[in-house]
Amino acid sequence: MQNEKSKSLHFTEEMDRLSTLLNRHAGEVCLEKELKKAILRNQLLCVALIDINDITDINTKYGHDAGDAVIQQVAQCLKQDLQQEEYAARFSGDEFLCIYPAKQRQEIHDRLQKIMEYLARKTDKDAIHISFCYGLTLVEPTQKITAKQVIMECDDAMYQWKRRYHLDKARYSILHHFLEDEDARQFSYDTKCLLHALVASTDDYIYVCNMAEDPSTFLYSQAMVKEFGLPQQVIHDAALEWGKHIHEADQQAFLEANLAIADNRSDCHNVEYRAKNCRGEWVWLRCRGHVERDMDGNPILFAGMITDLSKKNKIDHLTGLFNKYEFEDTIEQMLTKKNTRPFSVMLLDLDNFSNINKFHNHRFGDEVLAKTAQQIQSILPQGAKMYRHDGDEFHVIFAQAASKKQMEEVFADIQHIYRTQQELNDRKYHITISAAALNCPDDAADVMNISKNLRYALDHSKRNGRNRLTFYEKGMRLHEMRELDLIEQLRYSIEHDFIGFALHFQPQVDANTKQIVGAEALARWKSDIYGNVPPLIFIPLLEKSGLINEAGKWIFQKAVQYCKEMTTILPTFCVSINLSYIQLSDLQFLAFMQQVLKEEMIDPSHIIVEMTESYMVKNDDMQQTLFHKIRALGIRIAMDDFGTGFSSLGVLKKAPADIVKIDKVFMKDVLTSNFDATFIRFIVTLCHDVNIKVLLEGVETKEEYEKVKTMGLDYIQGYYFGKPQPFQQFKKNCENNTSDV
């Protein structure tokens, strides 16, 4: 009896009372379990995120009870559709998560469509229209993905549908409800001002004909007169005058469309043709018009708009700015003028904008982009025009060349807006902006090179801390090209059995006896074109390109193999191997290390992995779990570059380091600086109190060694005891019991 009560209580905790489905927490737990099952069973997993349309409008118009009833009805339909081992959860107010193991996307799509069709049929009988949007994600059994990532993918897919739904709804409302709206019928305005307002607010060319007085006389907007070189706005015998501008091949279509209006055969005018503008260019136009008649059916007014089709798709509908195609056209026009005036271009990029989408959602992210566009556009100086590029990037064209100081002032005004948190729809967010700028045609003389050079400068802003403006310099392009070339050469080396790669060993000695106890394995790489490339250059490129995972495995395996070879000479020999933060984020790398140790049949106590202080200071749960697993293998951990971070002392309290390597920066002035000597002694004492060994790097002279040997250090590494050497040379020196000293 007690067990039944416990089960009932457990079910109640997992159930959403309104929908009688699983609640959000239970749904997330269920999804995590099903992801693991899908891997074990080697089967697909289809997941759907469903969002009811217009629930806020339903609550407002009919009351919250009606809204709850809609939620219950959709939940009931989803529940009835579930098959064995399938689950549904109410994820939020009007969202549901459905989990379909071993199902294909198309099957679930068809099933959800049937539910929507059922709800649509029911709508014909009920006053409330019920529909929903959904996003589907198909998870492959080999795919490494978390429940949170699956939900985000579903949300992204659903967002696209939701956006289309709202656009279609808006169009329908405009086309079918505006004239039926009682308030719209009662609305009045000054008709004399209407034409002037329309002309001033559109890029289209407006025309009007008073057919009751003179059907051959037309009034054209001033913009059309200017663009096509018409003699004046009011033109008598307009068909003849305007017809002179129309392409010969399109004359027939133009005349037939006009005759249909003149002969009262049609009230609608819709024709496309080419016309020559004042610059002698042929442009495609679409001419639309409508005839208004009096009570007796006589035509009294003919009016419409002529659209330049070359301007189609030039507006970004999210922000209302011109898009990148218009940006490119504008640049080309400015550069091809006979007397090209210098001008400036700025590229703006929102830093870490993806975090806003992740923390909130893509809909909110779009609203932030629109607001940001309005804010920046409102403070731009006269003569500057803003364009939406891609994603969270914007271009600004300064019609006249701006000095560095002027562009810095503009950017400072932009930064001033975002110095504090922003608020939108009761949600807070924070953004910073990185920027790049150049002058044309000095820095670039065509669209492609303008885009490339701005990108080089923007990358420089990003690499140097973000939230800054960088002016393009020619050296940036050369640097970028060299980096790309080096990355391709690194890729070639790795794909061809690591040709050009080598490991050098630098001795690590006992601080008291000066006997070699181990070595640090240091990667070296020689390029066929550039020769020996310093690690400070090629290691970051390996990380930037993602090649560090493959290279890191090669380094680890080679270092372990060489270490085993060295134990035949020095039985207690240990090798220190540097690990990149990217390698540590690879969940498979731990298993790889274990496999190498097993294959080489070496005692793990001979292996030390080095991690930078800046990485170890993070101290999050995932990192601590990783350290625990590494030490469980029997491998020791060394904290490299100690003393260069922001939390040097604090990190010692929690970091699971077996060895601390004091950075060589503290050796630079050790002979003259009391601070450096005191710091080294202090760290040695502190580490020894918590059973951590200490190695000092950068000892290069006998005088320096004499200074530090009394400080209680465990190990020393530096040029005084040996420079990094190719392994075979290092081994030979050890066999001969010699060094570079």
Side-chain angles (χ1 to χ4, degrees):
M1 194 65 181
Q2 184 66 30
N3 190 37
E4 290 299 319
K5 286 183 180 179
S6 177
K7 285 182 179 179
S8 175
L9 179 61
H10 182 64
F11 177 75
T12 303
E13 290 173 350
E14 293 184 343
M15 184 186 70
D16 174 66
R17 294 184 181 278
L18 179 63
S19 65
T20 69
L21 301 177
L22 296 175
N23 58 30
R24 183 188 182 106
H25 175 72
E28 289 177 337
V29 171
C30 184
L31 179 55
E32 289 281 9
K33 290 179 180 177
E34 290 303 319
L35 286 169
K36 293 176 182 176
K37 281 185 187 177
I39 295 172
L40 292 173
R41 296 177 180 177
N42 194 32
Q43 67 182 22
L44 299 169
L45 180 66
C46 192
V47 182
L49 190 63
I50 297 158
D51 182 273
I52 299 174
N53 293 326
D54 306 319
I55 196 70
T56 303
D57 294 343
I58 292 171
N59 287 333
T60 302
K61 192 171 182 179
Y62 300 102
H64 284 274
D65 288 343
D68 288 349
V70 168
I71 292 170
Q72 288 174 323
Q73 192 164 346
V74 173
Q76 189 63 24
C77 289
L78 294 173
K79 191 173 184 180
Q80 289 175 352
D81 180 66
L82 294 178
Q83 300 176 5
Q84 190 174 1
E85 293 190 345
E86 296 179 350
Y87 304 90
R90 185 183 177 202
F91 216 56
S92 66
D94 58 349
E95 284 188 347
F96 302 91
L97 182 76
C98 293
I99 305 168
Y100 304 98
K103 294 294 189 298
Q104 291 285 352
R105 187 195 305 265
Q106 188 60 47
E107 178 186 341
I108 304 307
H109 174 75
D110 294 342
R111 284 166 58 181
L112 292 175
Q113 286 293 320
K114 287 181 180 178
I115 294 175
M116 292 180 70
E117 290 169 5
Y118 167 76
L119 291 170
R121 290 194 300 271
K122 197 168 184 342
T123 297
D124 294 338
K125 301 176 184 179
D126 300 339
I128 300 176
H129 175 77
I130 305 175
S131 66
F132 57 78
C133 296
Y134 59 86
L136 294 177
T137 294
L138 188 67
V139 183
E140 302 283 348
T142 56
Q143 195 173 348
K144 296 172 186 176
I145 191 169
T146 65
K148 188 174 181 180
Q149 289 171 326
V150 171
I151 294 166
M152 286 174 62
E153 286 189 9
C154 289
D155 185 63
D156 285 343
M158 181 182 71
Y159 165 70
Q160 299 300 327
W161 190 341
K162 200 77 173 176
R163 188 174 177 184
R164 289 196 302 271
Y165 170 79
H166 284 298
L167 285 173
D168 291 342
K169 182 183 174 185
R171 292 191 189 102
Y172 181 87
S173 176
I174 291 169
L175 292 173
H176 297 279
H177 295 299
F178 178 75
L179 292 178
E180 297 175 6
D181 192 301
E182 192 62 35
D183 292 335
R185 289 179 184 175
Q186 296 172 2
F187 177 74
S188 62
Y189 53 87
D190 186 350
T191 56
K192 294 180 181 179
C193 297
L194 176 61
L195 178 61
H196 297 290
L198 291 175
V199 168
S201 60
T202 181
D203 288 331
D204 292 338
Y205 309 119
I206 295 176
Y207 63 88
V208 180
C209 173
N210 187 336
M211 296 193 74
E213 293 182 3
D214 184 358
S216 68
T217 299
F218 278 64
L219 168 68
Y220 294 103
S221 60
Q222 183 59 40
M224 184 172 171
V225 172
K226 183 178 178 181
E227 179 65 12
F228 293 93
L230 299 179
Q232 56 202 26
Q233 281 190 264
V234 177
I235 297 180
H236 302 285
D237 205 357
L240 179 62
E241 179 60 33
W242 177 232
K244 296 176 184 177
H245 295 261
I246 296 173
H247 197 286
E248 183 178 354
D250 302 324
Q251 289 278 354
Q252 187 67 28
F254 170 73
L255 291 172
E256 287 181 358
N258 282 337
L259 285 172
I261 296 294
D263 296 341
N264 290 323
R265 287 185 283 115
S266 176
D267 285 346
C268 293
H269 180 70
N270 190 347
V271 61
E272 292 184 4
Y273 48 80
R274 284 162 289 181
K276 185 179 289 187
N277 62 22
C278 61
R279 296 177 295 281
E281 302 166 337
W282 291 105
V283 292
W284 274 101
L285 303 175
R286 175 182 293 143
C287 184
R288 292 179 178 177
H290 184 76
V291 176
E292 288 293 323
R293 299 180 181 275
D294 61 18
M295 297 297 291
D296 298 322
N298 299 314
I300 57 173
L301 182 73
F302 177 36
M305 293 185 179
I306 298 175
T307 302
D308 186 343
L309 295 180
S310 66
K311 293 183 179 178
K312 282 184 66 179
N313 302 321
K314 296 296 181 72
I315 300 295
D316 173 60
H317 296 289
L318 176 62
T319 61
L321 300 174
F322 282 115
N323 61 23
K324 63 179 180 181
Y325 304 111
E326 179 67 8
F327 167 76
E328 291 171 359
D329 288 348
T330 302
I331 292 290
E332 286 179 355
Q333 289 173 23
M334 295 176 77
L335 289 170
T336 53
K337 287 180 179 178
K338 289 183 178 180
N339 297 316
T340 301
R341 288 186 175 183
F343 61 94
S344 303
V345 185
M346 184 181 287
L347 174 61
L348 304 171
D349 178 273
L350 276 60
D351 297 322
N352 297 318
F353 181 73
S354 59
N355 291 341
I356 291 177
N357 287 331
K358 290 175 184 176
F359 187 73
H360 298 285
N361 54 54
H362 285 274
R363 279 167 281 186
F364 182 74
D366 281 353
E367 291 172 351
V368 169
L369 281 175
K371 180 181 178 181
T372 303
Q374 292 170 0
Q375 288 174 318
I376 296 175
Q377 193 175 25
S378 68
I379 64 167
L380 291 178
Q382 189 174 3
K385 199 170 184 180
M386 188 172 175
Y387 303 77
R388 168 105 183 268
H389 189 58
D390 286 322
D392 55 0
E393 291 184 347
F394 302 91
H395 279 114
V396 179
I397 297 178
F398 298 83
Q400 294 182 346
S403 66
K404 285 188 176 182
K405 183 179 179 182
Q406 288 170 325
M407 285 192 278
E408 284 172 346
E409 289 173 352
V410 170
F411 186 68
D413 290 341
I414 293 171
Q415 284 185 307
H416 184 73
I417 298 175
Y418 303 108
R419 68 194 185 283
T420 57
Q421 272 190 328
Q422 304 291 300
E423 186 170 335
L424 180 63
N425 298 336
D426 298 324
R427 298 186 190 182
K428 293 186 181 296
Y429 64 93
H430 181 255
I431 58 172
T432 58
I433 294 177
S434 294
L438 53 70
N439 288 317
C440 301
D442 290 347
D443 294 327
D446 58 67
V447 172
M448 183 178 294
N449 282 307
I450 288 172
S451 298
K452 281 185 178 180
N453 293 351
L454 282 171
R455 182 64 54 192
Y456 296 142
L458 181 67
D459 288 345
H460 192 274
S461 289
K462 295 284 189 180
R463 285 196 302 268
N464 288 276
R466 307 175 189 271
N467 194 28
R468 64 187 61 230
L469 169 64
T470 300
F471 294 95
Y472 169 74
E473 296 175 0
K474 290 182 173 62
M476 292 176 181
R477 184 165 189 167
L478 295 174
H479 175 76
E480 186 78 13
M481 296 304 292
R482 185 172 185 269
E483 276 197 355
L484 293 173
D485 190 27
L486 284 170
I487 288 173
E488 289 310 307
Q489 290 186 54
L490 284 165
R491 193 184 308 277
Y492 179 87
S493 296
I494 290 171
E495 291 177 356
H496 290 80
D497 201 24
F498 293 89
I499 185 173
F501 279 89
L503 278 190
H504 286 200
F505 274 37
Q506 184 175 23
Q508 296 173 336
V509 304
D510 184 287
N512 297 313
T513 67
K514 303 201 308 188
Q515 295 298 308
I516 292 177
V517 295
E520 181 178 1
L522 299 164
R524 296 292 185 263
W525 178 61
K526 185 176 182 179
S527 159
D528 290 339
I529 298 175
Y530 298 102
N532 292 318
V533 181
L536 286 175
I537 292 178
F538 78 80
I539 294 295
L541 293 180
L542 288 172
E543 293 177 337
K544 181 179 179 179
S545 62
L547 295 170
I548 190 66
N549 287 323
E550 289 303 310
K553 288 179 180 179
W554 181 87
I555 292 168
F556 184 86
Q557 187 162 26
K558 280 290 181 186
V560 172
Q561 290 172 351
Y562 289 156
C563 181
K564 184 179 179 182
E565 212 174 312
M566 284 299 304
T567 57
T568 62
I569 304 168
L570 300 172
T572 60
F573 184 87
C574 297
V575 66
S576 293
I577 308 167
N578 291 282
L579 295 185
S580 162
Y581 71 97
I582 296 177
Q583 289 172 271
L584 295 169
S585 63
D586 180 2
L587 300 178
Q588 302 302 314
F589 190 73
L590 191 72
F592 171 79
M593 289 195 296
Q594 188 173 16
Q595 178 187 342
V596 170
L597 294 173
K598 185 177 180 182
E599 289 175 354
E600 299 300 329
M601 293 184 292
I602 187 172
D603 186 339
S605 65
H606 291 282
I607 310 302
I608 301 166
V609 293
E610 294 189 12
M611 306 169 196
T612 61
E613 179 193 351
S614 57
Y615 176 79
M616 296 185 74
V617 77
K618 288 196 309 182
N619 196 39
D620 56 32
D621 292 341
M622 186 179 296
Q623 182 201 63
Q624 292 299 316
T625 300
L626 174 66
F627 290 163
H628 176 75
K629 289 180 178 179
I630 290 174
R631 300 183 82 182
L633 293 177
I635 295 175
R636 285 181 291 165
I637 297 174
M639 185 191 301
D640 197 12
D641 301 333
F642 184 81
T644 59
F646 296 104
S647 306
S648 300
L649 299 180
V651 73
L652 288 176
K653 183 177 180 180
K654 297 181 180 178
D658 301 290
I659 301 169
V660 160
K661 298 184 70 175
I662 298 178
D663 191 80
K664 60 186 177 183
V665 70
F666 294 97
M667 282 302 301
K668 185 178 179 182
D669 301 313
V670 73
L671 297 176
T672 57
S673 169
N674 289 330
F675 174 84
D676 290 335
T678 303
F679 179 83
I680 294 170
R681 289 193 186 93
F682 175 71
I683 294 305
V684 170
T685 301
L686 188 63
C687 287
H688 285 175
D689 283 347
V690 289
N691 298 316
I692 296 176
K693 301 287 186 183
V694 182
L695 183 151
L696 177 63
E697 294 184 288
V699 178
E700 298 186 357
T701 66
K702 183 179 180 180
E703 290 77 16
E704 289 176 347
Y705 172 66
E706 294 295 331
K707 176 78 173 180
V708 302
K709 72 177 183 179
T710 60
M711 294 181 179
L713 294 159
D714 298 288
Y715 313 111
I716 293 177
Q717 179 178 338
Y719 285 1
Y720 180 60
F721 296 99
K723 296 180 179 181
Q725 307 161 352
F727 173 71
Q728 294 303 328
Q729 181 64 45
F730 175 82
K731 181 184 175 185
K732 184 179 179 180
N733 287 343
C734 290
E735 287 173 334
N736 297 332
N737 195 27
T738 62
S739 71
D740 289 343
V741 179

